[in-house]
């Protein structure tokens, strides 16, 4: 009995000692729960930053953030378009599971015929607002005492399904629209973001709103979600920024041609659009304001900062803004250019600045990662399609092999096809719903997806296809249907017009934007009002 008590006392003392040592090693930032700032950019491509390889765009603030945290080189959005990807960040679920598989407002079923595209399929129906029965990341954080703030693009439902209906106490600018109605310079048309100063830049306004929130709540614990409307079209910039990037394009060498023909639409091959470059830089300026607010408030070492995009850069359709090379495709496409994104996580006390991870990660991983880093219990029945990346951020090896799934049973206006995707380890299989054909790529040797190796590896393709279809059935994924009014002759005529008329027009527009006498209008989209 005395011996047992002796050993008990030793064990007790050892435990106290370990706890004391552990507490001494804990950084100040962990003695209370950390703040979280989540920065989501709309339509930003994987190589639209200096930190990820662009020689043309200048993003010093985001580049600095990337160097101070960990860069996930194989980071993915959960969808090739915005609303589904955003819903996956909020819920921790893949798109086929939560049901928002297209951008909210897109036509589906027979309504698709109104576009006169003459496609083979009628796009699937989809959920039109963030499901109320899901516990969003904002609701989870708020329940734990976090002040929750949202600024910018929402696009996850109409009134009744706004940010404040899904856990955010403060909403600055989030409503049902997915683009900057009225443009990037005040006066804009946004009922939850009043106009203050004529000519004010929208990205900067959202950055300032976020910075003000940080300063006002520096003595509390907060979860701030900055969701830029930039760099979504319509692309606009100031004359000063256009001048800068027009001259830079000339110094780098302006190529005679800027596009090539993809399967459906021409696709941009050059990063030389000075309007888009200025829009990117304005967004980066706003990020700088937010990061400076953290520093000025003494919160830089106590705040997790996350940066990513909701889908690939717009290389076709919309504003034909950027090139995602060496990745194939862009927003709306099934290839890597449509879904691979900048994906940075800065956790100051982990001291992993400048590190990189090539472990494949996706938008659904943010939810469990944030909870884990904030020492909040996981909600495993909610963020079912995500995993915590905390071990990787701590420098540990992640011995998890898991499939990633994408489901897009729709046509977009960028040229992508209705398809579903599975990625497991280095292999990526795409299943096309028009004809049941499939493509297989080894992303280690062919990140540009130029060589479909399905004929060389039929067993790998068969196994991945079986997993993909099994998963889609398991989650009850909605599917497209054949259009009985499909007309191959009309479809061919449309394709011929794109090749013979649209493609040359895009080349002419590209050179117009780079011409020394380019002038969009007298006040440069309203930006000159406050500068004259």
């Amino acid at each position: 009995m005395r011996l047992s008590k002796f050993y008990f006392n030793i064990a007790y003392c050892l435990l106290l000692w370990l706890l004391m040592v552990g507490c001494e090693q804990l950084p100040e930032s962990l003695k209370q729960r950390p703040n979280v700032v989540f920065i989501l950019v709309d339509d930003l491509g994987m190589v639209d930053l200096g930190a990820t390889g662009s020689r043309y765009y200048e993003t010093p603030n985001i580049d600095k953030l990337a160097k101070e945290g960990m860069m996930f080189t194989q980071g993915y959005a959960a969808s090739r378009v915005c609303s589904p990807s955003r819903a996956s960040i909020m819920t921790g679920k893949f798109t086929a599971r939560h049901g928002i598989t297209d951008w909210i407002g897109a036509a589906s079923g027979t309504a698709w015929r109104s576009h006169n595209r003459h496609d083979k399929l009628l796009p699937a129906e989809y959920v039109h607002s963030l499901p109320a029965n899901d516990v969003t990341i904002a609701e989870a954080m708020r329940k734990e005492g976090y002040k929750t703030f949202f600024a910018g693009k929402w696009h996850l439902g109409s009134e009744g399904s706004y940010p404040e209906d899904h856990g955010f106490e403060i909403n600055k600018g989030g409503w049902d629209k997915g683009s900057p109605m009225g443009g990037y310079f005040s006066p804009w048309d946004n009922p939850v973001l009043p106009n203050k100063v004529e000519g004010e830049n929208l990205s900067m306004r959202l950055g300032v709103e976020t910075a003000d929130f940080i300063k006002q709540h520096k003595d509390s614990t907060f979860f701030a979600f900055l969701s830029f409307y930039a760099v979504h079209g319509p692309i606009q910039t100031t004359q000063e920024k256009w001048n800068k990037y027009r001259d830079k394009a000339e110094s780098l060498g302006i190529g005679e041609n800027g596009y090539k023909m993809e399967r459906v639409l021409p696709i941009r091959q050059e990063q030389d659009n000075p309007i888009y470059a200025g829009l990117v830089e304005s967004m980066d300026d706003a990020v700088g304001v937010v990061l400076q607010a953290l520093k000025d408030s003494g919160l830089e070492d106590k705040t997790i900062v996350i940066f990513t995009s909701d889908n690939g850069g717009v290389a076709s359709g919309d504003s034909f803004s950027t090139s995602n090379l060496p990745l194939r495709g862009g927003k709306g496409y099934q290839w890597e250019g449509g879904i691979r994104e900048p994906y940075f996580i800065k956790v100051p006390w982990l001291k992993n600045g400048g590190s990189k991870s090539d472990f494949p990660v996706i938008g659904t991983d943010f939810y469990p990662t944030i909870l884990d880093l904030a020492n909040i219990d996981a909600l495993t029945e909610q963020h079912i399609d995500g995993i915590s990346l905390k071990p990787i951020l701590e420098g540990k090896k992640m011995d998890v092999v898991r499939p990633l799934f994408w489901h897009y049973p729709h046509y977009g206006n960028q040229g992508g096809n209705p398809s579903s995707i599975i990625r497991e380890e280095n292999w990526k299989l795409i299943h096309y719903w028009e004809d049941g054909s499939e493509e297989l790529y080894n992303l280690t040797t062919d990140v540009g997806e130029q060589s479909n190796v399905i004929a060389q590896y039929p067993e790998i393709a068969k196994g991945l296809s079986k997993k993909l279809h099994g998963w889609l059935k398991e989650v009850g994924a909605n599917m497209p249907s054949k259009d009985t009014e499909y007309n191959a002759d009309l479809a061919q005529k449309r394709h011929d017009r794109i090749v013979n008329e649209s493609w040359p027009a895009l080349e002419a527009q590209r050179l117009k934007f780079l011409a020394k006498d380019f002038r969009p209008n007298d006040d440069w989209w309203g930006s000159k009002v406050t500068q004259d």
Side-chain angles (χ1 to χ4, degrees), residues 399-446:
D399 292 321
V400 176
V401 176
R402 57 163 179 170
L404 302 178
F405 297 101
W406 293 264
H407 181 57
Y408 190 72
H410 311 279
Y411 294 98
N413 63 337
Q414 298 87 16
N417 303 96
S419 53
S420 298
I421 305 165
I422 179 173
R423 173 176 175 168
E424 190 169 60
E425 299 187 275
N426 298 325
W427 297 101
K428 175 181 175 182
L429 181 130
I430 305 171
H431 179 89
Y432 291 92
W433 294 107
E434 282 187 337
D435 57 8
S437 63
E438 294 181 335
E439 294 169 359
L440 180 69
Y441 298 103
N442 184 333
L443 296 179
T444 298
T445 58
D446 181 25

Side-chain angles (χ1 to χ4, degrees), residues 377-388:
D377 290 341
L379 302 177
T380 52
E381 293 184 1
Q382 174 58 52
H383 47 74
I384 191 169
D385 294 316
I387 61 172
S388 173

Side-chain angles (χ1 to χ4, degrees), residues 146-192:
Y146 277 75
K147 294 289 295 183
T148 54
F149 169 89
F150 185 90
K153 174 172 172 173
W154 179 244
H155 206 187
L156 288 173
S158 54
E159 194 168 355
S161 185
Y162 280 179
E164 55 267 40
D165 302 303
H166 294 282
F168 290 100
E169 298 170 82
I170 301 170
N171 171 27
K172 300 288 185 179
W175 62 316
D176 57 322
K177 302 301 182 183
S179 59
M181 308 303 291
Y184 281 101
F185 300 97
S186 180
W188 45 70
D189 180 13
N190 188 319
V192 288

Side-chain angles (χ1 to χ4, degrees), residues 151-414:
K153 174 172 172 173
W154 179 244
H155 206 187
L156 288 173
S158 54
E159 194 168 355
S161 185
Y162 280 179
E164 55 267 40
D165 302 303
H166 294 282
F168 290 100
E169 298 170 82
I170 301 170
N171 171 27
K172 300 288 185 179
W175 62 316
D176 57 322
K177 302 301 182 183
S179 59
M181 308 303 291
Y184 281 101
F185 300 97
S186 180
W188 45 70
D189 180 13
N190 188 319
V192 288
L193 191 70
N195 289 281
K196 290 183 177 180
V197 179
E198 193 171 356
E200 183 180 20
N201 179 274
L202 177 59
S203 296
M204 184 56 71
R205 171 67 177 278
L206 295 174
V208 169
E209 292 282 1
T210 306
D212 288 347
F213 169 81
I214 289 169
K215 294 171 185 176
Q216 292 163 12
H217 295 85
K218 64 181 180 180
D219 295 324
S220 63
T221 309
F222 57 78
F223 175 70
F225 200 107
L226 171 54
S227 175
F228 286 107
Y229 282 94
V231 289
H232 193 288
I235 58 173
Q236 298 172 349
T237 191
T238 64
Q239 184 175 6
E240 290 75 15
K241 280 185 165 50
W242 175 84
N243 284 337
K244 172 183 175 178
Y245 286 103
R246 189 263 157 208
D247 292 347
K248 187 171 183 178
E250 185 173 58
S251 69
L252 291 173
I254 298 174
E256 182 178 350
N257 298 302
Y259 292 87
K260 77 170 188 178
M261 192 65 197
E262 248 303 351
R263 290 181 183 172
V264 178
L265 288 175
I267 190 164
R268 181 177 272 272
Q269 301 293 290
E270 298 287 342
Q271 287 189 347
D272 61 5
N273 186 330
I275 305 171
Y276 181 73
L279 181 60
V280 171
E281 185 180 296
S282 292
M283 178 273 297
D284 181 77
D285 291 341
V287 170
V289 168
V290 174
L291 299 180
Q292 188 63 45
L294 289 174
K295 186 174 182 179
D296 292 345
S297 301
L299 301 176
E300 193 174 25
D301 293 334
K302 303 177 182 180
T303 304
I304 298 163
V305 182
I306 294 169
F307 181 92
T308 194
S309 174
D310 61 349
N311 49 248
V314 182
S316 291
D318 299 348
S319 299
F320 292 83
S321 305
T322 192
S323 169
N324 299 290
L325 293 174
L327 305 180
R328 185 178 181 184
K331 178 183 179 180
Y333 281 93
Q334 58 275 11
W335 299 301
E336 293 291 279
I339 54 177
R340 195 179 286 204
E341 311 301 331
Y343 197 115
F344 314 144
I345 302 178
K346 176 187 175 183
V347 186
W349 57 88
L350 293 182
K351 308 296 183 184
N352 59 9
S355 59
K356 295 182 180 181
S357 170
D358 60 1
F359 182 83
V361 296
I362 194 166
T364 53
D365 294 333
F366 289 122
Y367 195 144
T369 301
I370 291 169
L371 295 187
D372 201 1
L373 290 170
N375 299 310
I376 298 172
D377 290 341
L379 302 177
T380 52
E381 293 184 1
Q382 174 58 52
H383 47 74
I384 191 169
D385 294 316
I387 61 172
S388 173
L389 305 178
K390 184 179 178 182
I392 298 177
L393 292 164
E394 292 176 333
K396 301 172 185 174
K397 183 176 174 60
M398 186 77 88
D399 292 321
V400 176
V401 176
R402 57 163 179 170
L404 302 178
F405 297 101
W406 293 264
H407 181 57
Y408 190 72
H410 311 279
Y411 294 98
N413 63 337
Q414 298 87 16

Side-chain angles (χ1 to χ4, degrees), residues 110-129:
T110 55
W112 184 249
R113 292 173 182 155
S114 64
H115 291 293
N116 295 316
R117 289 183 33 141
H118 313 293
D119 292 312
K120 293 180 180 180
L121 300 177
L122 297 175
E125 301 298 335
Y126 61 94
V127 175
H128 282 245
S129 62

